[in-house]
Amino acid sequence: MKYFIIAIIAVVGLAIGTSLFVIGSPQKARLRRFDEIRVQNLQNIQEQVFSYWIDKRMVPTELSQLNDDIRGFRVPMDPGTGAAYTYEMKSPEQFRLCANFALSNKQETERPSIKDPYYPSYAYGPYVGVQTWEHEAGTVCFDRTIDKERYQKEQQMLPQVR
């Protein structure tokens, strides 16, 4: 009976150790989740910047201009630190978004057998080039350029409401 209990404890310990090795520690999972939220926040901010551009034909000069009580949007803050994301207007159609990531996601997003762009260019929204949210650990910036010519062509194709 004594050896049976020791064997059970060893098997359970080995299972726990193996699972921590395979999926990572709870702390690492928490950091990874915060990074996923950071990317989602940056994507939401990017879409709000585009909506602002549609209305004003220029990107905002600062993120606080995106806060809108009618639409119910407030610029999100970093989930881990509570700090504001870094934003820079580079031109009326260009902007930069930056965040401080805890971990790299490059290994997770690599697709060695698929050549970029895998999807047609229109699948990436109104931005020039292929969007990527790959990042290393630390502060990473994403430069975006709104393709105003493509948007104007799409606007002309919309039916006119009378």
Side-chain angles (χ1 to χ4, degrees), residues 35-114:
D35 281 351
E36 290 170 358
I37 292 170
R38 287 179 183 105
V39 168
Q40 291 170 358
N41 287 345
L42 293 178
Q43 289 171 330
N44 288 336
I45 292 169
Q46 175 178 279
E47 290 307 311
Q48 292 299 318
V49 168
F50 180 63
S51 292
Y52 186 95
W53 181 85
I54 289 172
D55 294 339
K56 312 268 187 185
R57 288 297 189 241
M58 64 180 288
V59 299
T61 56
E62 56 187 46
L63 281 180
S64 64
Q65 292 174 296
L66 298 177
N67 291 331
D68 187 341
D69 291 332
I70 294 174
R71 290 183 182 177
F73 182 79
R74 288 275 172 228
V75 176
M77 304 300 258
D78 184 284
T81 64
Y85 294 105
T86 305
Y87 170 85
E88 176 187 358
M89 174 190 181
K90 298 178 85 177
S91 79
E93 291 86 27
Q94 295 179 321
F95 60 98
R96 172 179 282 175
L97 281 173
C98 304
N100 191 0
F101 294 96
L103 304 169
S104 172
N105 75 344
K106 289 215 175 195
Q107 186 176 5
E108 298 167 11
T109 58
E110 285 181 1
R111 297 173 289 157
S113 63
I114 300 172

